[in-house]
Amino acid sequence: MKKLFYLCLFISAFSIQAQTTYETKENISYYTKKQIKGDKYKADRCVLDIYYPTNKENFATVVWFHGGGLSGGEKFIPELLKEKGVAVIGVNYRLHPKVEAPTYIEDAAAAVAWAFENIEDYGGDKLLIFVSGHSAGGYLTSMIGLDKKYLKEFDIDANDIAGLIPFSGHTITHFTVRKERGIDGKTPIIDSLAPLFHVRKDAPPLLLITGDREKEMLGRYEENAYMMRMMKVIGHTETTLYEMDGYGHGMTHPAFPLLLNEIERITKMKQK
């Protein structure tokens, strides 16, 4: 009888999961024609794809920024976030050397603003918008979540983001920003274009994930460890750091389950 009970439970759970269907819409501009003002590069590059459940309501959304050093990369929907009951928005943003800082940060903010303004039309909950990304995408995640001025341009409070989950992102000023200024990539800088410059007590929950400190890019784990420490010092109570032992900079595979766990944790907390 016990075996039959657990088999029925498994079949029931599988059926519920199988009933959720998904759709993808591609190359949606997150700027208006008025904001683009005939700029072809802006029109071509500033687009997003949205992958979302079609028969579920009030789902969480992950806005995902690709990596590539702010000078390369293309939007995509991470495979490990598909069919997990959440929407995923993959974002393209303008790149160096065609633009310089803070243009790519402004683009990231515009994409997140698009999510806040439109996700309810797809059935999502705008109180459950999470921002994440890998490497350069992690840097953009932290910048728009901690420096409130970027989303303020769109009349959005950065504190309304449900959670910030940067994967292996710079917390000092990004090396491409330093390159634009003629500063060597091994010279660390913390200024207004560094997430660390904007540590604050009232920020959204912050989950920092990096690769193994011995396998990561130049001090990336230590940067994030310092970010965690300074957020705690300033009084932020929801900063957590995970180090993916054995993984280098391309540590996304084991990090995605942590992202999904964080979404589940915060969703449950908000629904109480």
Side-chain angles (χ1 to χ4, degrees):
M1 283 297 290
K2 277 187 178 180
K3 285 183 179 179
L4 181 62
F5 172 76
Y6 285 119
L7 179 63
C8 291
L9 207 63
F10 173 79
I11 292 171
S12 176
F14 180 79
S15 298
I16 291 169
Q17 186 176 13
Q19 287 170 5
T20 304
T21 57
Y22 297 85
E23 185 174 334
T24 302
K25 292 188 178 178
E26 299 180 337
N27 296 319
I28 301 168
S29 176
Y30 53 82
Y31 283 117
T32 65
K33 287 184 179 179
K34 185 177 179 181
Q35 290 168 328
I36 291 171
K37 297 178 182 176
D39 183 331
K40 188 176 186 307
Y41 181 53
K42 189 175 184 179
D44 291 346
R45 187 70 192 174
C46 296
V47 294
L48 56 80
D49 298 343
I50 179 169
Y51 168 92
Y52 64 100
T54 57
N55 56 349
K56 179 181 176 182
E57 292 186 350
N58 301 318
F59 47 78
T61 299
V62 181
V63 181
W64 176 260
F65 295 111
H66 66 79
L70 300 175
S71 59
E74 292 292 330
K75 61 181 167 59
F76 66 100
I77 306 298
E79 286 295 324
L80 291 177
L81 295 183
K82 289 183 177 179
E83 298 185 6
K84 296 296 189 294
V86 300
V88 187
I89 296 174
V91 182
N92 267 353
Y93 47 90
R94 286 172 287 178
L95 301 169
H96 171 92
K98 289 188 176 181
V99 300
E100 294 188 350
T103 300
Y104 24 73
I105 305 171
E106 293 166 350
D107 288 349
V112 171
W114 183 93
F116 273 97
E117 292 162 3
N118 293 277
I119 199 61
E120 289 182 342
D121 295 338
Y122 293 84
D125 186 342
K126 69 177 182 179
L127 297 178
L128 292 173
I129 293 175
F130 296 80
V131 183
S132 186
H134 175 236
S135 195
Y139 167 77
L140 294 174
T141 295
S142 298
M143 280 302 301
I144 64 169
L146 295 174
D147 187 349
K148 298 182 76 173
K149 75 178 183 184
Y150 292 105
L151 281 170
K152 189 176 180 181
E153 286 294 315
F154 300 92
D155 297 320
I156 292 170
D157 187 340
N159 287 0
D160 289 338
I161 296 171
L164 302 169
I165 311 166
F167 288 15
S168 197
H170 263 313
T171 69
I172 63 174
T173 303
H174 196 280
F175 66 79
T176 295
V177 178
R178 283 175 275 156
K179 178 182 177 181
E180 291 169 359
R181 300 173 182 173
I183 300 170
D184 186 85
K186 294 184 179 67
T187 303
I189 300 290
I190 297 174
D191 61 13
S192 63
L193 289 172
L196 263 166
F197 190 85
H198 303 283
V199 295
R200 54 189 179 84
K201 181 179 180 178
D202 63 334
L206 177 61
L207 176 59
L208 304 162
I209 312 175
T210 77
D212 189 315
R213 70 190 75 185
E214 298 301 333
K215 296 178 179 292
E216 262 285 7
M217 292 180 71
L218 304 168
R220 197 60 61 93
Y221 166 79
E222 288 79 6
E223 286 180 45
N224 281 264
Y226 188 40
M227 168 67 88
M228 178 192 69
R229 178 55 53 203
M230 294 312 297
M231 287 292 280
K232 289 182 180 296
V233 166
I234 209 164
H236 191 264
T237 60
E238 288 195 88
T239 299
T240 306
L241 170 63
Y242 286 111
E243 177 184 9
M244 303 288 95
D245 288 348
Y247 289 85
H249 189 59
M251 38 55 76
T252 58
H253 185 90
F256 282 122
L258 298 177
L259 185 157
L260 291 167
N261 288 345
E262 182 74 344
I263 290 173
E264 184 178 8
R265 180 187 75 83
I266 292 173
T267 299
K268 286 179 178 177
M269 185 174 65
K270 285 181 173 288
Q271 290 174 345
K272 281 183 178 178

